[in-house]
Amino acid sequence: MPAGPQPEPIRFFGTTWVEHDGGYALLRVGLAIGSLATAIASALMLRFAYEGLQIGNVGPFLSISVVVLFAIASSIAFTKTWASFSRRPAPSSDEAALKGLKTIGFIGSLIAYFLRCLGEAPGEKLRRAEYERAQAEYARRRSTRTGNPATRRPKRKK
């Protein structure tokens, strides 16, 4: 195992994001297409559910409420997912409380993942900055060492 800090793997990409090797570009394209296809299929599924509400004749209030709920949940899920690619959540943040809302608005999360895959691996910029900072800190710590202190000669008394 090499000395120094190791890069943190990204889901689906592993550590290919470091050198952009090992099929990194193909993974990005494949995941972008997959997330877009999943978002489209999910939107169609929600459309069929809405048509079921229309067939069930539940009334305009419930139909509109369902559409508004999914639109709001998707927009919140999009913004939270997009923000999670550029910063780590605080330990006491509201991420756990919003897990259910992000599950309801899964289409927004899929679209955020698709858009991020167009430019880079989701979370790559954050992990690259952390990795480069850790490497620089490791190099600084290693370069300031002067050797084994046990082999030094004792200081002369005056």
Side-chain angles (χ1 to χ4, degrees), residues 4-5 17 32 38 41 43 56 62 67-68 82 85 87 98 103 107 112 115 120 124 130 134 140 146-147:
W17 60 269
T38 306
L62 185 60
V67 170
V68 169
W82 189 264
F85 296 142
R87 64 171 172 73
L98 291 176
T103 302
I107 293 176
L115 292 174
E120 66 179 5
E124 178 182 348
E130 290 174 350
R140 182 184 52 81
T146 58

Side-chain angles (χ1 to χ4, degrees), residues 31-82:
L31 287 171
I33 291 170
S35 62
L36 182 63
T38 306
I40 291 171
S42 300
L44 287 174
M45 182 184 70
L46 288 176
R47 180 173 180 233
F48 292 144
Y50 180 76
E51 287 177 1
L53 290 174
Q54 293 296 326
I55 291 171
N57 199 15
V58 295
F61 177 74
L62 185 60
S63 297
I64 292 172
S65 297
V66 168
V67 170
V68 169
L69 169 78
F70 275 102
I72 291 172
S74 290
S75 66
I76 291 172
F78 177 87
T79 56
K80 290 295 183 179
T81 303
W82 189 264

